[in-house]
């Protein structure tokens, strides 16, 4: 009897155009799940991998960093999941673990069960954004601000009365950073964004929304009108040179800025300020404690509404819709919504 096959979206060779082709369905090993993927999220890193040919060494390559679906099989030693469970999963850039296919493996430790209130489409917006926000705020080694996480003893509400700034609050990562900041007790929570997103960001926990187009001096003035307290934590969900510099300019001496991109500020930022460049993968050993921590609590946060999934836009065509969606991300034509595809709809 022939082994089962599936459809997957490949990069056939370095920097080549995406192409849908058939491939085998993997088998879960110890600690793994096999998931039938119902929805996969698109991220800016996906078009960068295809265009610039980095992060992937073996071709043909399947990429994609987050997905949701149903558990089809469990590997040895897995007791917390069973066939049929609805889950959200973090992917990685190894073909069997990547999101742009109809079936993939997932690490049970980093997989989250979905409450009935969260759809597969919504759930596919969760893993990357949540991991980036959580690692950036709570990782204590190389990649994060080192705050006490809300799921740790004494962490929930610990930072009550302290202000926090999120640069780029309307994006996937920024919206989750706002929600974690609220769980941590920060107030005021100030976000920069296009002002038409103000109501949505305030529903997530932002207390103030400032126009993202303001230059550094006007940003400082706007913040000064909100609070006279020092800004000791800045979360930069954009990662451009301008936002990194703006964040540094408003940061208090001794404070920390966590940015989604490699720091362009140099080593000597002065005044005891620290700059952390977030490496988002939960599979990195330094990120394991944070990843296991938020994965263990995320189902409860979703059930309670403390963490709300991103607003989404579902693209037509299954995996055939990925390339056009990534082009929109590259061109900056996506705002305030996460792009999602449904691999099972691939013709």
């Amino acid at each position: 009897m022939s082994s089962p096959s599936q459809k997957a979206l490949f990069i056939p060779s370095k920097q080549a155009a995406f192409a849908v082709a058939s491939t085998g369905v993997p088998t879960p090993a110890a600690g793994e799940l096999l998931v039938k993927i119902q929805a996969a999220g698109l991220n800016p890193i996906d078009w960068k991998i295809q265009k610039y040919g980095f992060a992937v060494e073996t071709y043909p390559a399947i990429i994609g960093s987050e997905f949701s679906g149903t558990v089809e099989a469990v590997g040895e030693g897995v007791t917390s999941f069973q066939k049929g469970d609805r889950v959200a999963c973090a992917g990685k850039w190894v073909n069997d673990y990547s999101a742009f296919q109809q079936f993939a493996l997932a690490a049970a430790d980093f997989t989250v069960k979905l409450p009935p209130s969260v759809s597969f489409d919504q759930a596919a917006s969760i893993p990357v954004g949540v991991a980036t926000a959580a690692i950036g705020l709570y990782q204590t080694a190389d990649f994060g601000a080192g705050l006490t996480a809300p799921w740790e003893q004494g962490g929930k509400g610990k930072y009550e009365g302290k202000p926090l700034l999120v640069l780029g609050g309307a994006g996937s990562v920024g919206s989750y950073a706002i929600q974690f900041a609220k769980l941590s007790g920060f107030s005021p929570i100030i976000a920069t964004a296009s002002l038409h997103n103000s109501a949505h960001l305030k529903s997530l926990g932002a207390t103030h929304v400032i126009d993202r187009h303001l230059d550094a001096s006007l940003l400082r003035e706007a913040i000064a009108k909100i609070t006279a307290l020092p800004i000791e934590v800045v979360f930069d969900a954009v990662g451009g040179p301008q936002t990194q510099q703006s964040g540094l300019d408003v940061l208090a001496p001794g404070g920390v800025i966590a940015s989604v991109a490699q720091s362009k500020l140099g080593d000597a930022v002065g005044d005891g300020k620290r700059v952390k460049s977030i490496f988002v993968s939960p599979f990195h050993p330094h990120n394991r404690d944070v990843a296991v921590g938020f994965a263990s609590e995320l189902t409860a946060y979703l059930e309670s509404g403390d963490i709300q999934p991103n607003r989404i836009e579902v693209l037509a065509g299954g995996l055939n819709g990925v390339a056009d969606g990534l082009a929109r991300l590259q061109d900056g034509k996506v705002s305030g919504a996460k792009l999602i595809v449904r691999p099972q709809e691939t013709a």
Side-chain angles (χ1 to χ4, degrees):
M1 185 170 64
S2 61
S3 59
S5 65
Q6 61 162 326
K7 292 177 180 177
L9 184 69
F10 286 95
I11 305 174
S13 58
K14 187 174 182 178
Q15 296 175 285
F18 287 106
V20 173
S22 294
T23 190
V25 174
T27 300
E32 295 179 339
L33 309 171
L34 175 65
V35 177
K36 183 177 182 179
I37 299 178
Q38 300 295 337
L42 278 62
N43 292 281
I45 191 67
D46 299 325
W47 69 258
K48 294 176 184 178
I49 290 173
Q50 185 273 330
K51 181 176 181 178
Y52 299 117
F54 70 96
V56 172
E57 297 180 356
T58 302
Y59 293 89
I62 306 170
I63 61 172
S65 301
E66 57 188 338
F67 56 94
S68 63
T70 54
V71 174
E72 289 292 296
V74 298
E76 182 182 355
V78 176
T79 59
S80 53
F81 294 92
Q82 61 184 2
K83 181 177 171 62
D85 283 345
R86 302 171 68 253
V87 293
C89 312
K92 60 180 177 178
W93 303 314
V94 175
N95 282 9
D96 287 347
Y97 272 83
S98 295
F100 296 154
Q101 55 190 327
Q102 294 178 318
F103 293 86
L105 299 178
D109 284 349
F110 309 138
T111 295
V112 177
K113 288 184 181 179
L114 301 176
S117 59
V118 177
S119 71
F120 287 125
D121 294 335
Q122 291 173 315
S125 78
I126 293 171
V128 168
V130 163
T132 307
I135 290 166
L137 290 171
Y138 307 120
Q139 204 253 27
T140 59
D142 302 322
F143 311 129
L147 305 176
T148 302
W151 56 83
E152 296 177 0
Q153 183 68 33
K156 188 171 183 179
K158 177 178 180 177
Y159 301 96
E160 182 177 356
K162 291 182 175 292
L164 180 142
L165 173 65
V166 177
L167 299 168
S172 175
V173 173
S175 68
Y176 289 121
I178 289 168
Q179 294 178 79
F180 275 122
K182 182 179 179 181
L183 281 166
S184 290
F186 283 98
S187 183
I189 299 171
I190 306 165
T192 66
S194 296
L195 294 182
H196 68 266
N197 290 311
S198 294
H200 176 61
L201 297 188
K202 288 181 178 179
S203 76
L204 300 179
T207 58
H208 300 79
V209 179
I210 297 174
D211 188 345
R212 68 182 182 88
H213 296 102
L214 295 184
D215 63 23
S217 62
L218 293 177
L219 177 63
R220 287 196 301 272
E221 290 178 13
I223 292 172
K225 293 177 182 178
I226 296 169
T227 180
L229 295 172
I231 304 293
E232 297 175 341
V233 181
V234 174
F235 190 101
D236 173 21
V238 179
Q242 182 176 351
T243 55
Q244 288 185 353
Q245 187 62 56
S246 294
L248 187 67
D249 288 346
V250 302
L251 190 66
V256 58
I257 175 172
S259 177
V260 297
Q262 188 67 32
S263 172
K264 302 172 180 66
L265 299 171
D267 295 328
V269 295
D271 292 329
K273 298 179 182 181
R274 294 171 293 136
V275 181
K276 297 291 185 176
S277 300
I278 305 166
F279 184 78
V280 64
S281 174
F283 297 93
H284 191 288
H286 288 181
N287 292 338
R288 179 176 177 79
D289 288 348
V290 173
V292 171
F294 71 71
S296 67
E297 295 297 324
L298 193 50
T299 302
Y301 289 156
L302 291 167
E303 286 178 325
S304 66
D306 286 326
I307 296 292
Q308 300 176 38
N310 289 158
R311 295 182 292 186
I312 57 170
E313 177 187 344
V314 178
L315 304 176
L319 295 170
N320 292 301
V322 169
D324 287 346
L326 293 181
R328 286 175 55 193
L329 285 174
Q330 182 177 353
D331 293 341
K333 295 181 178 179
V334 180
S335 176
K338 182 82 169 183
L339 300 184
I340 303 295
V341 296
R342 296 169 176 165
Q344 301 303 322
E345 296 180 355
T346 308

